[in-house]
Amino acid sequence: MRIAIMGSGGVGAYVGARLQAAGEDVAFIARGAHLQALQKSGLRIETPEHALHLERVTATDDPSSIGPVDLVIFAVKLWDTEAAARAMAPLLGPQTRVVTLQNGIDSVGLISGALPGARVLGGVIYVSAVIESPGVIRSPGGMNRIVVDAAGGDPVIAAFCAACERATALEATALDAIGVAIWEKFVTLAAIAGATSLLRARMGQIMGHPETRIFQRQLIDEGVAVGRAAGQLLRADLADDVMSRLTSLPGSFRSSMSEDLERGKPLELQWLSGRVHGLGLQHGVPTPAHSAVYR
């Protein structure tokens, strides 16, 4: 299967590297110093377990040099969605599927609006990975799971899930009801990004202190309340489950948004805590914790 990674930052490069190591034909769309490093020295994944070095990768900033592929993994930051969607047009053929692994709840609509006619399917990924230096991706380990829209048994999606199962430190599940999974990830990620960014702290510190642990739980509870007010059938034990999973994460874990904040990069804030804040106003649900993060 020919796969293009549109947005080869932490998450995109991690997924692409695991798929290439599993035998798939992967091309990475990148830019700047990161692209130059990929072309010169390949791609490294640094993680406590299953570190990986691909000495040769196909990397470019010009999607037209790749041509149509079977699958595009769309993993750019939300603030760059429309421009990246338009730029990936040369990657699309009649049978191409685009799986978005972006954060938030707006990705499918944003991509489809910028590139009408594209077959865009929702997905979520649970992995922490950032660019440590050009050509080097750092992950603290822990979660490495993808959930994707099954699209009624679409063969491209089935092949993608099979490739993930062959890969090391990557797994995938296809669901017919992807909307709930997207909302569960949104509730989780918005809470993690909000806490680690506002508090300038890692998950071990947050969960290890009684006051910040309460704040973390409040962010989750607000996301659940907003989701239910918006008509999402979120399970009764979601907040408890998220808190349990956060407790089991490596103590060094933090969100990519907190990494971006530290490095002075643009933030996905408006699509995370800002989105919870806006939905709270829309549906009459109080969101004091997320509103504080956003403000």
Side-chain angles (χ1 to χ4, degrees):
M1 182 165 55
R2 296 195 71 216
I3 301 171
I5 307 296
M6 191 69 190
S8 300
V11 167
Y14 181 94
V15 173
R18 296 301 185 192
L19 290 171
Q20 179 172 325
E24 301 302 322
D25 180 3
V26 179
F28 297 85
I29 315 298
R31 56 192 176 190
H34 188 48
L35 170 61
Q36 295 172 10
L38 294 175
Q39 293 172 331
K40 180 180 179 180
S41 306
L43 174 60
R44 288 184 181 274
I45 306 296
E46 295 186 347
T47 185
E49 296 181 347
H50 310 299
L52 174 65
H53 181 205
L54 300 173
E55 296 184 0
R56 294 180 179 274
V57 298
T58 298
T60 181
D61 59 0
D62 180 14
S64 65
S65 68
I66 299 170
V69 297
D70 301 304
L71 176 68
V72 178
I73 300 295
F74 196 87
V76 305
K77 294 291 187 178
L78 281 161
W79 44 263
D80 203 24
T81 300
E82 288 87 350
R86 291 189 292 267
M88 76 173 174
L91 301 172
L92 305 185
Q95 303 303 316
T96 304
R97 304 293 185 266
V98 178
V99 170
T100 172
L101 299 181
Q102 289 182 295
N103 296 324
I105 54 176
D106 303 302
S107 180
V108 172
L110 290 172
I111 298 169
S112 299
L115 196 61
R119 297 283 300 275
V120 186
L121 301 173
V124 297
I125 183 168
Y126 293 91
V127 67
S128 176
V130 297
I131 299 176
E132 175 70 14
S133 60
V136 180
I137 304 301
R138 173 174 52 81
S139 172
M143 298 179 289
N144 47 48
R145 182 169 64 94
I146 295 172
V147 183
V148 64
D149 189 347
D154 186 280
V156 174
I157 299 304
F160 168 63
C161 290
C164 290
E165 293 305 312
R166 292 193 300 271
T168 300
L170 187 66
E171 59 182 84
T173 303
L175 297 178
D176 288 320
I178 192 64
V180 171
I182 289 173
W183 260 90
E184 287 194 1
K185 167 67 182 293
F186 172 60
V187 168
T188 303
L189 191 278
I192 294 173
T196 58
S197 299
L198 182 64
L199 300 173
R200 271 68 167 179
R202 296 177 183 270
M203 193 51 61
Q205 297 170 296
I206 293 169
M207 299 300 285
H209 189 283
E211 292 296 336
T212 50
R213 186 183 180 97
I214 290 170
F215 182 66
Q216 182 70 85
R217 175 64 188 242
Q218 185 178 358
L219 289 165
I220 298 166
D221 286 340
E222 290 178 6
V224 172
V226 164
R228 289 178 178 153
Q232 297 297 317
L233 300 177
L234 301 178
R235 52 196 168 93
D237 66 342
L238 176 57
D240 290 337
D241 183 46
V242 173
M243 286 294 287
S244 177
R245 283 188 278 130
L246 296 187
T247 302
S248 68
L249 288 175
S252 62
F253 184 95
R254 61 172 171 163
S255 68
S256 61
M257 193 171 85
S258 70
E259 298 264 4
D260 290 338
L261 177 64
E262 184 177 279
R263 299 179 185 195
K265 294 183 176 182
L267 304 181
E268 295 185 324
L269 178 64
Q270 73 180 81
W271 295 278
L272 298 177
S273 283
R275 194 74 162 93
V276 177
H277 167 78
L279 286 167
L281 293 175
Q282 178 182 338
H283 294 287
V285 176
T287 60
H290 275 291
S291 295
V293 171
Y294 180 55
R295 288 165 178 160

